[in-house]
């Protein structure tokens, strides 16, 4: 290759400036120079000094580079992000503690667990069974023999559950009002906090004798009735939990504390057990009381006229047996019994008692409710 393509012709001017004629390059044809074309590249080492030697420069070559297009990458092709490492703990720095859940979260979880299909339904079923068993046991009939369905037991438990449900709701209302008053007093200043703490200590002091009486009643040292033991023990634990709650809230902390969650869970379990115990005792008392009242007022039950094809040979006081006349041959029913009362009907069977039934000499009759008998009901 010719050297003139690399060595430009520089012609110095008289005033010290340099003039460079463009050599053959891009945009020129042939190897000849064009006199009227100059490259305006003037490099001066020191512009204030006009006598400086002229520095020769290489001709500027324009490079046309093509920008390479980067291929688009999708989210699947991107490398996964590396997990961020936690900053290293300083030697004197404490690690942050996880936040303690407030007591409201625990109550919300408990309310979610105590749903109508779990604890409440089981409580109603247990109450209905205890009430029905006590009621019919007074008449000498086992509730399992009658064969009530679950729906029947739930419906029979609702009328007798008004009193315990009302008492429980009133107790919950008193506890909510006490908590509200304690919260307002604790927010009033140091005197209010001191008052709340003294009240909590007084309630805690009342818990101890209640627990002692409950245990003594459980071992039959003290006669407190069938509901005395569960009410004393369960009530004492509820007062203890409420007092502890108000005391902790007066300090501004969340309840329960980290070390008290197990104790709170055990206390709640004991309270639930005591509630079943108390409801069972009340249901038995209620069933026996209703059975005694029903025995003295059997006229409130439907009167039954029973026709059978065979003689029953009852011979009960107050029950009259009549032989039906043979109106036509092939008559199916031959005997009629009057003076019976319908006590219960379930599972295709009737449970009958005489209208003069007493606990000392009363009897019961169980008959299938089908085509083998003919039954007529009337009031009074």
């Amino acid at each position: 290759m010719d050297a003139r393509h690399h060595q430009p012709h520089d012609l110095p001017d008289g005033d010290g400036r340099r003039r460079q004629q463009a050599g053959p390059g891009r945009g020129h044809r042939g190897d000849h120079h064009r006199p009227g074309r100059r490259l305006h590249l003037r490099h001066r080492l020191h512009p204030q000094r006009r006598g400086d030697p002229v520095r020769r420069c290489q001709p500027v070559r324009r490079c046309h580079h093509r920008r390479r297009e980067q291929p688009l990458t999708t989210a699947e092709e991107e490398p996964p992000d590396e997990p961020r490492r936690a900053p290293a703990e300083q030697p004197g720095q404490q690690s942050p503690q996880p936040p303690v859940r407030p007591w409201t979260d625990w109550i919300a979880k408990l309310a979610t667990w105590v749903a109508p299909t779990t604890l409440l339904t089981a409580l109603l079923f247990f109450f209905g069974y205890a009430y029905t068993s006590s009621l019919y046991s007074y008449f000498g009939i086992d509730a399992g023999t009658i064969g009530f369905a679950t729906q029947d037991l739930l419906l029979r438990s609702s009328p007798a559950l008004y009193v315990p449900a009302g008492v429980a709701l009133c107790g919950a209302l008193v506890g909510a009002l006490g908590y509200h008053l304690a919260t307002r007093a604790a927010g009033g200043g140091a005197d209010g906090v001191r008052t709340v703490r003294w009240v909590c200590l007084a309630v805690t002091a009342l818990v101890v004798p209640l627990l002692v009486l409950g245990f003594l009643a459980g071992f039959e040292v003290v006669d407190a009735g069938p509901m005395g033991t569960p009410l004393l023990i369960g009530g004492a634990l509820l007062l203890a939990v409420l007092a502890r709650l108000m005391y902790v809230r007066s300090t501004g902390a969340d309840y329960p504390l980290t070390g008290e969650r197990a104790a709170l869970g055990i206390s709640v379990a004991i309270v639930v057990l005591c509630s079943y115990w108390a409801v069972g005792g009340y249901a038995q008392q209620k069933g026996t009381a209703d059975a005694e009242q029903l025995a003295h007022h059997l006229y409130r039950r439907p009167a039954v006229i029973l026709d059978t094809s065979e003689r029953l040979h009852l011979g009960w006081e107050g029950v009259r047996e009549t032989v039906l006349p043979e109106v036509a041959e092939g008559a199916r029913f031959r005997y009629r019994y009057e003076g019976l009362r319908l006590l219960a009907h379930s599972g295709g069977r009737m449970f009958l008692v005489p209208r003069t039934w007493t606990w000392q000499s009363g009897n019961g009759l169980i008959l299938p409710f089908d085509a083998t008998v003919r039954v007529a009901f009337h009031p009074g």
Side-chain angles (χ1 to χ4, degrees):
M1 184 179 294
D2 194 357
R4 61 184 176 183
H5 293 287
H6 299 278
Q7 297 294 333
H9 301 277
D10 297 334
L11 301 176
D13 295 336
D15 56 352
R17 292 176 298 178
R18 56 192 175 93
R19 183 175 56 191
Q20 182 180 16
Q21 292 183 354
R26 189 173 182 179
H28 296 276
R29 297 180 181 178
D31 298 333
H32 301 283
H33 302 286
R34 295 183 180 181
R37 188 170 183 86
R38 299 179 181 178
L39 290 178
H40 299 280
L41 299 176
R42 300 172 182 178
H43 299 274
R44 297 181 181 181
L45 297 178
H46 300 280
Q48 66 275 13
R49 296 173 59 184
R50 294 183 178 273
D52 292 341
V54 178
R55 182 181 177 183
R56 294 184 178 181
C57 298
Q58 298 292 335
V60 178
R61 295 184 179 180
R62 298 180 182 179
C63 300
H64 297 274
H65 297 283
R66 208 170 189 183
R67 182 178 296 178
R68 297 181 180 178
E69 297 182 357
Q70 299 294 335
L72 298 177
T73 57
T74 59
E76 298 179 356
E77 299 177 358
E78 294 181 356
D81 297 337
E82 297 183 359
R84 298 181 179 179
R85 298 181 180 179
E89 297 183 359
Q90 301 297 332
Q93 184 180 3
Q94 297 181 356
S95 60
Q97 298 293 336
V100 180
R101 293 182 177 178
W103 65 278
T104 52
D105 293 348
W106 292 89
I107 293 180
K109 286 186 177 181
L110 184 62
T112 304
W113 177 68
V114 182
T117 57
T118 53
L119 181 62
L120 184 58
T121 304
L123 188 63
L124 290 175
F125 176 80
F126 179 74
F127 184 85
Y129 182 81
Y131 173 78
T132 305
S133 177
S134 178
L135 176 66
Y136 291 103
S137 295
Y138 185 82
F139 293 93
I141 302 174
D142 186 19
T145 306
I146 300 177
F148 286 114
T150 303
Q151 184 178 2
D152 298 333
L153 295 177
L154 294 177
L155 293 177
R156 289 175 178 272
S157 67
S158 56
L161 199 61
Y162 292 147
V163 174
V167 172
L169 291 177
C170 291
L173 178 61
V174 172
L177 291 177
Y179 175 76
H180 175 68
L181 294 177
T183 304
R184 289 191 60 183
D191 295 337
V193 173
R194 191 179 301 108
T195 303
V196 171
R197 292 182 178 180
W198 277 108
V199 171
C200 294
L201 292 177
V203 172
T204 305
L206 183 62
V207 168
V208 178
L210 289 178
L211 286 175
V212 173
L213 287 177
F215 282 108
L216 291 178
F219 289 103
E220 298 182 356
V221 178
V222 179
D223 187 11
M227 295 186 297
T229 301
L231 289 179
L232 290 173
I233 296 178
L237 289 178
L238 280 178
L239 290 177
V241 172
L242 183 61
R244 181 58 180 169
L245 170 62
M246 292 189 298
Y247 186 87
V248 173
R249 293 296 294 173
S250 64
T251 61
D254 294 329
Y255 184 81
L257 301 179
T258 305
E260 298 180 0
R261 296 178 182 176
L264 179 61
I266 296 174
S267 301
V268 171
I270 295 176
V271 169
V272 172
L273 178 63
C274 290
S275 66
Y276 275 89
W277 190 353
V279 165
Y282 176 77
Q284 291 179 358
Q285 286 188 347
K286 181 66 175 175
T288 303
D290 290 350
E292 292 178 355
Q293 186 179 9
L294 180 61
H296 290 88
H297 302 85
L298 280 175
Y299 62 88
R300 299 177 180 176
R301 302 299 299 170
V304 178
I305 299 177
L306 179 64
D307 295 341
T308 62
S309 59
E310 297 179 359
R311 190 174 182 179
L312 299 180
H313 299 281
L314 295 179
W316 296 346
E317 183 181 358
V319 178
R320 185 177 60 183
E321 179 182 340
T322 304
V323 179
L324 298 177
E326 298 182 3
V327 179
E329 295 183 1
R332 187 172 184 180
F333 300 104
R334 302 287 303 275
Y335 303 94
R336 173 170 292 178
Y337 296 91
E338 300 176 354
L340 297 173
R341 300 288 175 173
L342 179 63
L343 184 63
H345 173 227
S346 177
R349 292 176 297 178
M350 296 184 300
F351 297 84
L352 307 176
V353 294
R355 62 181 180 180
T356 58
W357 187 95
T358 58
W359 188 80
Q360 292 79 10
S361 60
N363 296 309
L365 179 64
I366 303 176
L367 289 176
F369 191 69
D370 54 12
T372 59
V373 296
R374 184 171 59 189
V375 180
F377 298 99
H378 66 88

